[in-house]
Amino acid sequence: KACNYMGIWCMLNHAENCQTKLCTNSANSRRRRVVSLPYRQDMRYLELKLCLQNTKSGFGTICIPSIDMIRMATLEEDDYFNAWGWDKCDYDYPLTFNMVKHGPWAPKLLLHQCVDSERSCDIERELDVKDAIILRPFEVVILSIHIACPFEMSYETDVLSTMSSIRVPVTSYGPLSSNHLGVQQHKHSVATARFLEEDALWK
């Protein structure tokens, strides 16, 4: 399965005050200009950095068909969809955490490290959520994504203690078939990374 050779690491873009973001800056200081962002004011926001890597050689190329297919789930959502099927999770389902897809906090590509140095890129650029990500063997990308979370989650730990998993749908393109027609094998699966429980972090 393609998910067996997709490596996923999640990093928090930590704030000094440990708080999640509001879409409007505080006006407590006269020196600060109030900036309204095009997001809901009844939500709070958190920036995550996702590192994705094709960790195998000789198994072909991995494709993440669309960035907006990446999902973050709580433990309750994991239990529900594992029981009833993840096909029940569509774009209309009110998940606890949802990726910000447009505006200043839209997904960004921070790094694309390729075996072929000419294809590598370390210049930050915005991504369309419909963009696909292609990873050849050992290639790495780092994405910046913002997630919207409930307004009562004021602190980063509120989010991290609630989030259970990150799911990344992937497709693998295997070696060319032996019929010399150039047809590649397509294998679809979902790579899942689970957050460590808090007790494990403090051991």
Side-chain angles (χ1 to χ4, degrees):
K1 293 183 178 181
C3 61
N4 293 334
Y5 43 97
M6 164 67 84
I8 305 174
W9 295 266
C10 179
M11 299 162 280
L12 170 69
N13 192 18
H14 174 64
E16 290 185 4
N17 61 6
C18 301
Q19 293 185 352
T20 51
K21 299 179 181 180
L22 294 170
C23 65
T24 302
N25 288 340
S26 171
N28 292 336
S29 173
R30 293 182 180 179
R31 296 181 180 179
R32 295 180 61 183
R33 181 170 58 93
V34 176
V35 178
S36 294
L37 297 172
Y39 305 120
R40 290 175 50 177
Q41 296 189 14
D42 61 343
M43 303 290 288
R44 300 184 75 97
Y45 300 86
L46 186 72
E47 182 182 5
L48 299 175
K49 294 181 179 179
L50 293 183
C51 177
L52 308 173
Q53 182 181 27
N54 183 345
T55 59
K56 301 288 185 179
S57 65
F59 289 89
T61 298
I62 288 177
C63 173
I64 302 167
S66 176
I67 298 172
D68 67 352
M69 296 175 69
I70 298 174
R71 299 298 181 98
M72 283 68 64
T74 66
L75 182 59
E76 292 76 13
E77 290 162 350
D78 266 338
D79 290 343
Y80 177 84
F81 290 117
N82 286 336
W84 294 98
W86 280 91
D87 59 312
K88 303 293 189 299
C89 181
D90 57 30
Y91 294 108
D92 296 324
Y93 187 89
L95 293 171
T96 303
F97 305 110
N98 292 281
M99 184 189 305
V100 175
K101 300 178 181 180
H102 307 287
W105 291 344
K108 294 180 177 62
L109 177 68
L110 303 181
L111 174 72
H112 190 175
Q113 186 67 48
C114 304
V115 176
D116 179 2
S117 59
E118 293 183 358
R119 295 177 53 246
S120 296
C121 177
D122 59 359
I123 300 175
E124 179 179 316
R125 66 179 179 89
E126 293 187 6
L127 294 172
D128 188 288
V129 292
K130 298 298 182 183
D131 285 348
I133 295 175
I134 307 296
L135 293 174
R136 296 175 182 175
F138 299 129
E139 291 187 350
V140 178
V141 296
I142 297 179
L143 305 177
S144 167
I145 64 171
H146 279 76
I147 59 171
C149 45
F151 190 79
E152 60 269 18
M153 293 187 176
S154 301
Y155 291 93
E156 296 166 346
T157 50
D158 297 333
V159 178
L160 297 177
S161 62
T162 306
M163 194 177 293
S164 173
S165 66
I166 296 177
R167 296 172 55 85
V168 183
V170 293
T171 300
S172 65
Y173 298 84
L176 291 176
S177 61
S178 58
N179 61 9
H180 305 295
L181 296 178
V183 177
Q184 293 181 316
Q185 300 172 353
H186 299 257
K187 300 178 182 179
H188 304 274
S189 58
V190 177
T192 303
R194 301 198 177 279
F195 287 82
L196 292 174
E197 296 183 358
E198 187 174 1
D199 292 342
L201 293 175
W202 291 104
K203 286 184 178 180

